Amino acid sequence: MPNSPYSSAIKSSTPAKSLIASLVLLAVSLPLSLPALAEIRLNDPIPINPDLKMGKLENGLTYYIQKNDTPRKKVELRLVVKAGSVLEDDDQQGLAHFTEHMAFNGSKHFKKHQLISYLQSIGVKFGADLNAYTSFDETIYILPIPTDKPAYLKTGLQVLADWAQGVEMKAVDIDKERGIILEEARLGKGASDRMTRQLLPEVFNGSKYAERLPIGKEDTIKQFKHDALRRFYKDWYRPDLMAVVVIGDVQPAEAEKMVRKYFSGLQNPQPERARPEINIPKNTASKAMVITDKEASNNLLMLRYPLEKQPAHDVIADYRQDIIRGFYKSMLNRRLGALTEQAKPPFLGASAGNEQVVAGYDSFISTAMLSQAGIQPALDALMQEKNSIRQFGFTATEFERAKKIEAREYESMFNERSKSNSATFAAEYIRNFLTNEPIPGIKNEYLYFKEFADGISLEEMNRFARQATPDDSVKLMFYVGSNKAGETVPSTEDLLAMAAKAEQQAVQARVEKAASASLMTALPKAGQIVTEKENKQLGLVELTLSNGVKVTLKKTDFKNDQVLMSARRAGGLSMFADTDYFNSYYSNPVVWGMGMANFSQKDLQETLAGKSANVRTSMDNYSESIAGASSSSDIETMLQLLYLRLTAPRRDEVMFQTLINSQKEMARNNWARPEAVFSEAITTTIYKDNPRVPHQARVEDFDKISLDRSMEIYQSRYGSAKDMHFIFVGSFEVDKIKPLIATYLASLPNTDIKTTYQDLHIDPVQGVVKKEVHAGNEEKSTVVLSFNGPSTYTREENGRFHAMVDILNLKIIDVLREKQGLIYSGGMSGSFERIPKDRYSIDAELPCSPENVDKVIAALFAEIKKLQQSGPQAEDLNKVKQSWLKEHQQELLSNENWLNHLQNAIYYKTEAESILTVEKRIKAITPAQIKEAAQRYFNFQNYAQIVMYPEQKQEAK
């Protein structure tokens, strides 16, 4: 459900909250045909999704099984254990997470290394597909399995059963895993971790949660006795605390039989240890806390109001209340977002509303990313909006807009119900098991919204708002930021005084102006479609328009309500001199931030409420691009946005200056991060002082941007559609989209401009170049190795090249991580550059401890040289091929993949039909070809090596 925890089609299993949304997707209602709604009684229990087979075995294990065909020939398996770090004894801190690691180190049916190797052989990638995570209250194991053969699903369920109660926990494997987990802990260290550890005792008000970070304590990880780990596994890995989730291309009855076969034998321990409920005490007085760190990348202010037990979600009346709660949160955050468009915004971004803190508890939390304006303006703005809502509520205009937006979200969810990804359903059922989140199913959720939304009055909405919005009573205030020279850091007394002052300010009722009813008051004079031809092999319709613009249409049924658009043309930043670099590089964000025609960005959002359409433009060194997306019913809106974006950019000095100021602040903050210092060192080492290579932004860069010149550059490129070739992929009717194309694309200006590129000579350094960088307080290093050189691109060579890279990634996991314990994560990537000339690049990034830098480099070089001398093992090449073949099966059913493929074929002037021969090319790759590729692409006389060490190592020299 939009803005609630219910949605199976909207919310992911590990949602990430962002302070500043980069793009707002807005949508409109679709006419839908639904069966008549049976009488809904508010006191009735919320039902269970009728498509779901849910049950419980005699031993207490819960299972969720559902047939779902997206993606095809694949099933998502999950083992959910209602046991996390909060259940650890004092001698077990970190062992919930350690237990998760041991599940991959040998079990009853899969010896050490055998499990990962087998799964890779059937196309399952370690890390990308096969994964797990541990939190305070739960541990989740993630296993996607292909269903090409019945044996795969049986083996997958056997794997889950082994994780449940068949992990071996051999002493030698436990001791070896200590190093890998310490590397994982090292990877997480930095300003955020240091500040979080100071925050937690206050956030959790002294409860056990504050003492049980899932990563644990390093001393415990190094020294714990083996039996402490085995005790945690025995106590808490038991069927009455477990759920098995099976969602995908399966027959539910058969899957249920297999679940019973593999999991009925699991036993609960005797005696059974009671799972405690961890209570978090309420704060009784307001308190402030100031935490600073010189590596903090942002100055943040957070107000957390008293923790409350999460409300019940048992009966349909609770669902109706959650609809109201969703309206409330969306309207509040739109108010806060609008404040960032002021001439002097009070903050860079802000959010507010009830958030889950841990399972069972939530709290009203307001957060602001501070600007140069400082703390008081941010507090004033947060309090003004909060208290204005308490006193005056929301306006009728706001409420009607929120209803439109939420209605479109629900209808999008409903339209895509048969194409929702299995992993999304799995995430919803996991939440049901852990927190009793209702699972009525997409159809019921949509019907409930249609039934209830119109009946919620503004008066009822505002009664809820007054109750939901906290007063000025007990709160926790946190200032988290840097302590750089020149920064004014408040005291705790300062924070409380500023909050009290903000609470006393006069409150004003919001005044809402009516939004424009449409984007365009008059349509452009339509052009014509002058030629049309069909490519039956690929299912394409190819059009030429009267202004010379070309269009390729591919109608698909991969999604029920998605249309994607793109166009790309040669030119880009290469058309402008070095002196115009910043004006050209930032021309798109500058123009985007000011809106279009007579619409500011806020105006656009209001006018587009209830619609799903967006368009973006972008420019790289050698090309300029347009990308768009819409629902099937909002194609015209997308094309109107495109037309206005290209023909009517808006000039707004206030918004321009707001953008420049916010970018300066973010650049200033960014340089506190050791990662930013290291990234800049990588760029300058490989490309020296080339002015055309994007560097880490500096504050002074933004003084070089001129509003007028940026707009002039933008208009010089996007003001003409010459040589543009648009592609549309998705759920549209060809006959219905053609008149829209004639109106909005055939009418675009086509003035004569250069549509070629100029070689900017961005050439990497040659020879062996080594650089040490010293940044950051933590004892952590990162090794970056970069190989590059001239190449000759062909599709066949591209396959051999990337197979070589992926084989080395298998070795990085197997040798550097599993066998030698030198790293926790890291890997290698490679790419071909075809414009302005054929080149290749291969980059490896490997985080490790400073004392292991040389070992890591030596180990990777040894694997590369083995590949050069002996070629790959046949089983490794087969693993890569199987993974690619599985991916290709899914890509053939993806609008995004088809759009990308067709765009590349047009831009690089290659045959689009090559998508039909991918499988043949994959199967044709041989070990001998990989060996030759390794010899060709890894030149040990030509590479860059950049290593980051901590600052203190530099001081010791």
Side-chain angles (χ1 to χ4, degrees), residues 21 448 598 655:
Y448 295 156
N598 296 319
M655 286 309 304

Side-chain angles (χ1 to χ4, degrees), residues 736-885:
K736 291 182 179 179
I737 200 174
K738 286 196 294 186
L740 300 176
I741 287 170
T743 299
Y744 297 105
L745 296 188
S747 60
L748 288 171
N750 193 20
T751 53
D752 189 31
I753 62 172
K754 289 184 179 180
T755 55
T756 57
Y757 58 82
Q758 303 178 58
D759 190 345
L760 295 175
H761 302 289
I762 303 175
D763 300 317
V765 67
Q766 298 300 294
V768 177
V769 179
K770 298 183 179 182
K771 172 81 173 178
E772 289 187 4
V773 182
H774 297 270
N777 290 327
E778 300 290 349
E779 282 293 313
K780 54 194 289 188
S781 286
T782 302
V783 174
V784 168
L785 296 161
S786 181
F787 294 82
N788 66 82
S791 64
T792 302
Y793 177 87
T794 66
R795 290 192 189 91
E796 292 72 19
E797 186 64 11
N798 183 58
R800 294 189 282 264
F801 173 84
H802 283 97
M804 172 196 72
V805 170
D806 279 6
I807 286 168
L808 284 168
N809 276 323
L810 294 178
K811 292 303 179 187
I812 288 172
I813 293 169
D814 182 48
V815 178
L816 276 72
R817 172 181 159 133
E818 296 299 324
K819 291 180 179 173
Q820 298 187 21
L822 296 171
I823 64 171
Y824 167 70
S825 65
M828 182 178 286
S829 62
S831 63
F832 275 113
E833 182 181 296
R834 289 184 265 176
I835 290 175
K837 49 183 172 284
D838 282 356
R839 295 193 67 88
Y840 75 91
S841 64
I842 303 171
D843 299 298
E845 182 172 341
L846 302 166
C848 63
S849 67
E851 60 268 24
N852 283 338
V853 164
D854 292 340
K855 293 178 183 178
V856 166
I857 296 170
L860 180 59
F861 281 6
E863 293 306 314
I864 293 171
K865 289 174 180 177
K866 283 181 189 177
L867 201 60
Q868 290 176 325
Q869 294 163 7
S870 306
Q873 294 175 308
E875 63 178 319
D876 285 342
L877 179 55
N878 179 65
K879 290 173 183 177
V880 170
K881 287 184 177 182
Q882 287 301 310
S883 175
W884 286 7
L885 290 170

Side-chain angles (χ1 to χ4, degrees), residues 27-246:
V28 76
S29 298
L30 300 177
L32 296 170
S33 176
L34 286 170
L37 189 65
E39 181 185 358
I40 295 178
R41 291 183 289 268
L42 293 177
N43 290 327
D44 283 353
I46 297 174
I48 292 174
N49 185 351
D51 296 329
L52 172 68
K53 182 180 283 290
M54 180 181 175
K56 186 172 284 192
L57 302 181
E58 289 184 0
N59 57 16
L61 182 138
T62 304
Y63 60 84
Y64 302 81
I65 301 170
Q66 183 175 321
K67 180 173 177 57
N68 189 61
D69 294 332
T70 304
R72 297 178 190 172
K73 295 184 179 181
K74 188 176 182 181
V75 60
E76 293 288 343
L77 301 181
R78 303 288 186 270
L79 175 67
V80 187
V81 187
K82 201 179 290 187
S85 58
V86 77
L87 297 182
E88 295 166 344
D89 296 330
D90 289 344
D91 64 339
Q92 294 176 322
Q93 293 185 58
L95 300 197
H97 174 241
F98 207 116
T99 301
E100 170 216 311
H101 274 242
M102 292 306 298
F104 299 90
N105 276 281
S107 62
K108 183 176 180 180
H109 294 91
F110 300 93
K111 302 307 174 189
K112 186 174 173 67
H113 303 305
Q114 182 184 351
L115 171 60
I116 294 174
S117 181
Y118 166 75
L119 292 172
Q120 288 171 335
S121 74
I122 63 173
V124 179
K125 288 185 176 180
F126 181 65
D129 299 322
L130 172 67
N131 214 326
Y133 68 87
T134 303
S135 188
F136 287 108
D137 292 292
E138 74 273 359
T139 305
I140 312 294
Y141 295 88
I142 302 165
L143 179 57
I145 288 285
T147 57
D148 306 66
K149 298 179 181 179
Y152 292 165
L153 178 56
K154 293 178 181 177
T155 304
L157 289 170
Q158 182 65 76
V159 171
L160 262 60
D162 272 21
W163 286 340
Q165 287 194 340
V167 177
E168 290 186 325
M169 299 281 186
K170 291 182 178 179
V172 63
D173 295 329
I174 293 172
D175 290 337
K176 198 164 188 179
E177 196 67 23
R178 295 180 199 261
I180 294 174
I181 290 182
L182 289 170
E183 285 305 313
E184 182 178 359
R186 186 192 310 278
L187 194 64
K189 290 182 178 180
S192 178
D193 177 66
R194 292 191 294 268
M195 293 188 293
T196 296
R197 290 177 183 274
Q198 295 180 63
L199 276 172
L200 286 186
E202 297 300 333
V203 169
F204 293 125
N205 204 18
S207 72
K208 195 175 180 182
Y209 283 106
E211 305 166 1
R212 291 295 187 268
L213 271 176
I215 197 62
K217 291 186 175 180
E218 289 189 24
D219 287 345
T220 301
I221 293 167
K222 290 176 183 177
Q223 302 171 14
F224 72 86
K225 295 181 179 179
H226 300 156
D227 283 345
L229 182 66
R230 294 172 184 142
R231 185 176 77 246
F232 184 89
Y233 187 60
K234 180 182 177 182
D235 284 343
W236 304 118
Y237 274 60
R238 62 197 208 210
D240 66 331
L241 295 180
M242 289 180 178
V244 170
V245 182
V246 184

Side-chain angles (χ1 to χ4, degrees), residues 14 84 189 375 494 510 556 701 900:
T14 53
K189 290 182 178 180
I375 297 171
D494 292 336
R510 186 177 183 84
T556 73
D701 294 345
N900 183 61

Side-chain angles (χ1 to χ4, degrees), residues 276-522:
E277 180 179 349
I278 310 299
N279 292 310
I280 305 176
K282 277 192 175 184
N283 295 87
T284 56
S286 291
K287 189 173 182 179
M289 192 172 186
V290 175
I291 301 174
T292 61
D293 194 294
K294 72 175 185 177
E295 294 176 10
S297 57
N298 291 298
N299 294 335
L300 298 175
L301 179 70
M302 184 174 80
L303 286 78
R304 200 209 71 189
Y305 293 86
L307 287 171
E308 302 287 348
K309 288 281 190 177
Q310 288 183 311
H313 301 288
D314 301 325
V315 298
I316 292 174
D318 297 329
Y319 193 97
R320 185 181 185 277
Q321 194 73 355
D322 271 307
I323 293 173
I324 297 173
R325 189 175 287 110
F327 286 147
Y328 169 79
K329 189 171 181 180
S330 65
M331 287 189 285
L332 171 56
N333 280 285
R334 272 191 286 277
R335 281 195 177 190
L336 295 175
L339 296 178
T340 62
E341 292 198 13
Q342 295 178 353
K344 294 182 178 179
F347 36 61
L348 298 179
S351 65
N354 274 70
E355 303 289 345
Q356 178 174 294
V357 180
V358 291
Y361 287 92
D362 65 15
S363 171
F364 189 97
I365 299 173
S366 297
T367 308
M369 183 185 296
L370 300 179
S371 66
Q372 284 288 87
I375 297 171
Q376 190 69 61
L379 268 172
D380 289 347
L382 291 174
M383 298 299 188
Q384 170 67 224
E385 294 304 329
K386 175 178 76 71
N387 292 336
S388 175
I389 290 169
R390 281 183 61 83
Q391 184 169 338
F392 299 107
F394 296 103
T395 68
T397 302
E398 283 180 291
F399 190 34
E400 289 307 309
R401 185 184 303 131
K403 284 185 177 181
K404 287 182 182 180
I405 293 171
E406 294 294 293
R408 186 59 188 90
E409 292 285 357
Y410 271 93
E411 296 198 10
S412 176
M413 179 176 73
F414 179 83
N415 288 340
E416 296 294 358
R417 66 194 182 282
S418 63
K419 304 293 174 68
S420 297
N421 195 288
S422 296
T424 310
F425 285 111
E428 182 184 23
Y429 300 145
I430 288 170
R431 296 194 300 272
N432 173 262
F433 179 69
L434 295 174
T435 64
N436 201 33
E437 175 185 312
I439 46 175
I442 294 173
K443 181 179 175 181
N444 281 331
E445 292 196 46
Y446 175 73
L447 292 174
Y448 295 156
F449 182 84
K450 296 287 282 185
E451 173 74 7
F452 297 137
D454 288 341
I456 299 169
S457 67
L458 179 62
E459 182 183 6
E460 181 183 6
M461 182 71 245
N462 286 335
R463 279 200 308 271
F464 175 87
R466 283 189 285 273
Q467 173 270 326
T469 307
D471 59 19
D472 62 349
S473 58
V474 176
K475 68 180 76 70
L476 286 173
M477 294 184 64
F478 303 103
Y479 171 84
V480 178
S482 64
N483 53 7
K484 298 186 289 285
E487 291 273 353
T488 300
V489 178
S491 67
T492 56
E493 292 79 7
D494 292 336
L495 283 180
L496 291 171
M498 284 189 278
K501 179 182 177 182
E503 286 281 6
Q504 297 304 313
Q505 67 184 323
V507 177
Q508 298 177 345
R510 186 177 183 84
V511 178
E512 278 282 321
K513 68 175 183 179
S516 176
S518 61
L519 287 171
M520 302 177 72
T521 55

Side-chain angles (χ1 to χ4, degrees), residues 551-784:
V551 179
T552 294
L553 305 174
K554 181 170 177 60
K555 177 187 175 183
T556 73
D557 60 0
F558 309 146
K559 287 283 189 180
N560 296 327
D561 195 22
Q562 181 189 63
V563 179
L564 303 179
M565 173 192 71
S566 78
R568 189 180 181 192
R569 175 181 66 189
L573 302 177
S574 73
M575 306 307 295
F576 304 98
D578 290 356
T579 53
D580 255 334
Y581 175 74
F582 290 102
N583 284 313
S584 57
Y585 186 80
Y586 287 101
S587 60
N588 277 277
V590 163
V591 172
W592 171 264
M594 295 187 294
M596 62 180 76
N598 296 319
F599 299 93
S600 69
Q601 282 290 71
K602 179 177 181 292
D603 295 335
L604 277 173
Q605 292 175 16
E606 293 173 354
T607 298
L608 293 174
K611 294 183 181 292
S612 176
N614 68 84
V615 172
R616 295 298 293 255
T617 58
S618 60
M619 197 181 296
D620 60 24
N621 282 327
Y622 299 109
S623 69
E624 51 247 8
S625 300
I626 301 168
S630 77
S631 67
S632 300
S633 62
D634 290 320
I635 297 171
E636 183 167 16
T637 300
M638 175 175 67
L639 290 172
Q640 288 182 345
L641 287 170
L642 170 65
Y643 186 88
L644 293 176
R645 180 68 65 198
L646 301 190
T647 62
R650 178 175 180 268
R651 190 181 191 282
D652 187 326
E653 291 188 20
V654 169
M655 286 309 304
F656 170 73
Q657 199 57 54
T658 297
L659 172 70
I660 294 299
N661 290 340
S662 66
Q663 291 296 317
K664 283 183 175 182
E665 187 66 14
M666 286 189 278
R668 182 182 293 109
N669 292 334
N670 181 54
W671 278 95
R673 299 168 54 247
E675 294 81 4
V677 176
F678 185 48
S679 177
E680 181 70 3
I682 294 170
T683 301
T684 55
T685 301
I686 296 175
Y687 295 102
K688 298 298 182 184
D689 56 355
N690 192 313
R692 304 308 292 258
V693 177
H695 292 255
Q696 294 287 309
R698 297 182 183 277
V699 173
E700 57 268 24
D701 294 345
F702 299 97
D703 293 327
K704 303 170 186 175
I705 300 174
S706 158
L707 170 57
D708 290 333
R709 181 57 180 152
S710 291
M711 288 195 69
E712 183 181 4
I713 287 172
Y714 178 90
Q715 290 173 295
S716 74
R717 299 309 300 168
Y718 289 101
S720 171
K722 180 184 176 184
D723 291 338
M724 279 290 187
H725 191 144
F726 289 88
I727 304 164
F728 292 81
V729 178
S731 52
F732 56 81
E733 297 298 330
V734 172
D735 289 342
K736 291 182 179 179
I737 200 174
K738 286 196 294 186
L740 300 176
I741 287 170
T743 299
Y744 297 105
L745 296 188
S747 60
L748 288 171
N750 193 20
T751 53
D752 189 31
I753 62 172
K754 289 184 179 180
T755 55
T756 57
Y757 58 82
Q758 303 178 58
D759 190 345
L760 295 175
H761 302 289
I762 303 175
D763 300 317
V765 67
Q766 298 300 294
V768 177
V769 179
K770 298 183 179 182
K771 172 81 173 178
E772 289 187 4
V773 182
H774 297 270
N777 290 327
E778 300 290 349
E779 282 293 313
K780 54 194 289 188
S781 286
T782 302
V783 174
V784 168

